[in-house]
Amino acid sequence: MDRSVKVKRLQSPSKGRTICISDIHGNLNIYKKLLNKVKYQPGIDRLMLLGDLVEKGEKNLETLHFVMNQAKHEDVHVIMGNCDFICKNVLFAYRLDFLKDVLLQRKQSLIHEMANQIGISLDINTDMSWYTHEIRKHFLDELCFCNDLPHVIDTDSHIYAHAAIMNETTFGDDFREVMTTHFFLNKNMHFHKKVIVGHLPVTEYCHSIASFDPIYDGSTNVYSIDGGNVVKKAGQLNALIFDKNIVNVESVDELPEVEVIETVLEHNQIPLFVTWNTSQIKVLKTTSKQSLVYNSFLNRTFWVENEFIQDFKATDYTNYQIPLTKGETVKLVCLYQDKAQVKKNGVLGWTYQKNLKI
């Protein structure tokens, strides 16, 4: 397989805005909701979709068909993400044992939806050569659309990739670099053009207070915009909008809104947030409601409600008691004991349930 980085070069748009969205993950409802919120104008605005169109959501095939139609008739440009690569596995019967393992573990997949439409299914005994052949017979256009997506889009002022670029000339030696590199912001590589990526939820860069809004690192000239849509309970789908010399951000999620009925002032505290990649904990003491744990990355010992502990991990736990104003609304993430995890203006925190109208 050709592993070179495929690049699409575009002129900067002469009119309208450039709207960047990443990691839709088959969540068509939220994607349409975001387009409506940003007042997207087909034929005037340009849409840049930075990969992971499909997988993990509930409407993967419908999302793919919707985007294919947009790309055909509008100024819409799509990049291949690592999740979209699954189409290559099927199209070229590539790494079929690996493909089977992924599909057996992943309940929501574009490939499952394709198989369901033609009346076939997959189990541990499925012949993957036959299985992929049947899907190719019925969904060749869809598989080819994903296969032909570039890994990078380059304009005179911006570079778009799913996860990262290694430089501003060749962008990388292997497509895997631009599709799967983790923690691109931590590479401390400076670029002359603005570089926009998704792939890694932005909260993975947060270790005190977690925000799901896009991050801009002025020292590197990189924007990271994946808001954790579908893959995080408090996640959101972000739009980064370039409008001449102005940069705006909009976001949507599927969380219910609740009203704040008691004002909560800011407390003096040292907030912490436990990410996916730093979630391993050592349990030191356990009570009926909480456990005293140690996290080596944060080098902190702290109490965690037991609802957040699973397999010696405390993923997405925060001790940040978020300030609230009576009468405002916040997004409800989850309830636990007498507390609630909420999101306010993209920021994750907790409050007592008595402060909310639930």
Side-chain angles (χ1 to χ4, degrees), residues 168-216:
E168 291 182 77
T169 52
T170 65
F171 308 103
D173 296 325
D174 187 293
F175 61 69
R176 186 176 180 84
E177 292 176 319
V178 299
M179 284 203 305
T180 64
T181 294
H182 272 11
F183 294 102
F184 181 41
L185 287 180
N186 293 346
K187 302 294 183 184
N188 294 319
M189 303 164 64
H190 177 75
F191 302 99
H192 296 93
K193 295 181 181 181
K194 291 180 173 61
V195 179
I196 302 94
V197 300
H199 181 59
L200 184 73
V202 292
T203 51
E204 291 302 291
Y205 292 106
C206 303
H207 302 294
S208 56
I209 297 176
S211 172
F212 289 84
D213 290 339
I215 295 172
Y216 175 62

Side-chain angles (χ1 to χ4, degrees), residues 32-43:
K32 289 181 177 179
K33 184 178 178 181
L34 183 58
L35 293 181
N36 183 61
K37 186 173 184 180
V38 302
K39 296 180 172 60
Y40 167 62
Q41 304 172 86

Side-chain angles (χ1 to χ4, degrees), residues 68-245:
M68 287 173 67
N69 186 66
Q70 285 187 307
K72 183 176 181 180
H73 299 289
E74 303 165 21
D75 192 6
V76 175
H77 306 273
V78 189
I79 287 169
M80 182 185 295
N82 57 296
C83 285
D84 310 313
F85 191 88
I86 200 167
C87 292
K88 279 185 175 286
N89 291 94
V90 176
L91 187 62
F92 297 107
Y94 175 66
R95 296 186 68 191
L96 292 183
D97 289 340
F98 170 76
L99 177 62
K100 178 186 279 190
D101 289 341
V102 169
L103 293 176
L104 287 173
Q105 295 176 38
R106 185 176 295 167
K107 295 180 180 179
Q108 306 290 354
S109 172
L110 171 68
I111 310 307
H112 288 318
E113 293 178 19
M114 289 176 168
N116 289 340
Q117 280 210 5
I118 59 176
I120 64 175
S121 61
L122 177 131
D123 59 39
I124 191 66
N125 298 313
T126 298
D127 181 337
M128 292 301 290
S129 295
W130 166 82
Y131 183 82
T132 54
H133 176 71
E134 290 300 307
I135 292 175
R136 285 194 299 272
K137 286 197 304 184
H138 294 87
F139 295 101
L140 189 60
D141 289 346
E142 291 86 348
L143 297 172
C144 287
F145 175 83
C146 292
N147 175 68
D148 294 341
L149 294 176
H151 305 117
V152 171
I153 294 178
D154 182 28
T155 74
D156 54 359
S157 56
H158 296 70
I159 300 170
Y160 307 89
H162 180 59
I165 61 169
M166 300 298 108
N167 59 69
E168 291 182 77
T169 52
T170 65
F171 308 103
D173 296 325
D174 187 293
F175 61 69
R176 186 176 180 84
E177 292 176 319
V178 299
M179 284 203 305
T180 64
T181 294
H182 272 11
F183 294 102
F184 181 41
L185 287 180
N186 293 346
K187 302 294 183 184
N188 294 319
M189 303 164 64
H190 177 75
F191 302 99
H192 296 93
K193 295 181 181 181
K194 291 180 173 61
V195 179
I196 302 94
V197 300
H199 181 59
L200 184 73
V202 292
T203 51
E204 291 302 291
Y205 292 106
C206 303
H207 302 294
S208 56
I209 297 176
S211 172
F212 289 84
D213 290 339
I215 295 172
Y216 175 62
D217 185 342
S219 65
T220 61
N221 213 13
V222 174
Y223 291 86
S224 184
I225 70 170
D226 178 6
N229 167 56
V230 174
V231 299
K232 295 267 190 177
K233 190 167 186 178
Q236 63 193 38
L237 189 63
N238 291 326
L240 182 71
I241 306 165
F242 295 99
D243 188 1
K244 300 181 176 63
N245 294 322

Side-chain angles (χ1 to χ4, degrees), residues 305 307-308 317-318 334-341 349-351 353:
E305 284 76 10
E307 289 89 337
F308 287 91
Y317 172 77
T318 179
C334 66
L335 302 174
Y336 58 103
Q337 299 177 26
D338 61 342
K339 300 176 182 178
Q341 197 176 76
W350 73 270
T351 193
Q353 291 183 33

